[in-house]
Amino acid sequence: TPPPGGFRYGIQPHMIYEDKGPIYNAVRDLGFGWIKQQIEWKVFETEQGRIGWDEMDGIVDGARANGQTMMFSAVGAPGWAREAGYDASVAGPPQNPQTFANFLGAVAGRYCGRGLGAIEVWNEQNLHYEWGNRTISPAAYMDLLRPSYNAIKAACPSMIVVSGALT
């Protein structure tokens, strides 16, 4: 039974392109009300301004239908958003943080009040291979977090914004 108040437990399965029904059932059987799903930006916006919503729609709508709340953890800039000469062997942030903020603002706006309760802005940004083999920099991460937070809150003031978890 979840504790009273606003704090809730959750779990992170992999749901992208999977049969989601058994996952929702397993999460419910475990007693969790939140599901965290990592979404790779590079998979959903392969061309700037054209977001493929179908898989995210299915995940959010399915969770809501099962009485669960989603948190998306967004990572992995697409090639069009990265700096010239980037290391394609690893995930990395965009050259311009506003491009990521635009994506997250669109996600927050689409799912506001629809079953997405939180967005985590990046993940493990203190690992070189999650940060594009760039120098690890808290200031650079804050430069990514700040416009992302603003875009998410502008699109959906009730959305919880989570700072990327460290490894």
Side-chain angles (χ1 to χ4, degrees):
T1 302
F7 182 82
R8 297 288 185 257
Y9 289 101
I11 193 166
Q12 181 176 337
H14 178 76
M15 301 176 74
I16 304 292
Y17 307 118
E18 298 291 336
D19 180 4
K20 294 160 190 56
I23 296 171
Y24 299 125
N25 292 338
V27 170
R28 184 181 48 253
D29 291 348
L30 288 167
F32 294 137
W34 279 77
I35 302 171
K36 176 182 174 183
Q37 174 61 60
Q38 191 167 83
I39 58 168
E40 291 182 285
W41 175 26
K42 66 184 178 184
V43 170
F44 294 99
E45 191 177 9
T46 57
E47 183 180 323
Q48 189 171 10
R50 296 191 65 189
I51 300 171
W53 296 108
D54 290 348
E55 190 66 13
M56 287 187 283
D57 284 352
I59 290 169
V60 171
D61 293 343
R64 183 175 182 184
N66 281 281
Q68 297 155 337
T69 305
M70 290 301 307
M71 177 173 91
F72 281 162
S73 174
V75 299
W80 60 261
R82 296 198 51 198
E83 72 279 359
Y86 70 91
D87 182 349
S89 72
V90 294
Q95 180 177 19
N96 178 352
Q98 188 60 50
T99 59
F100 187 53
N102 294 344
F103 173 71
L104 294 181
V107 170
R110 184 172 184 92
Y111 300 115
C112 189
R114 190 170 149 189
L116 181 68
I119 297 174
E120 179 184 30
V121 180
W122 219 259
N123 185 54
E124 297 179 334
Q125 61 274 7
N126 63 325
L127 285 177
H128 68 92
Y129 57 84
E130 296 286 349
W131 200 244
N133 277 333
R134 295 169 151 186
T135 301
I136 303 302
S137 167
Y141 175 69
M142 288 306 300
D143 289 342
L144 186 71
L145 179 61
R146 188 176 302 108
S148 296
Y149 176 90
N150 291 334
I152 292 165
K153 287 298 191 176
C156 185
S158 63
M159 187 73 63
I160 298 168
V161 180
V162 179
S163 175
L166 301 176
T167 184

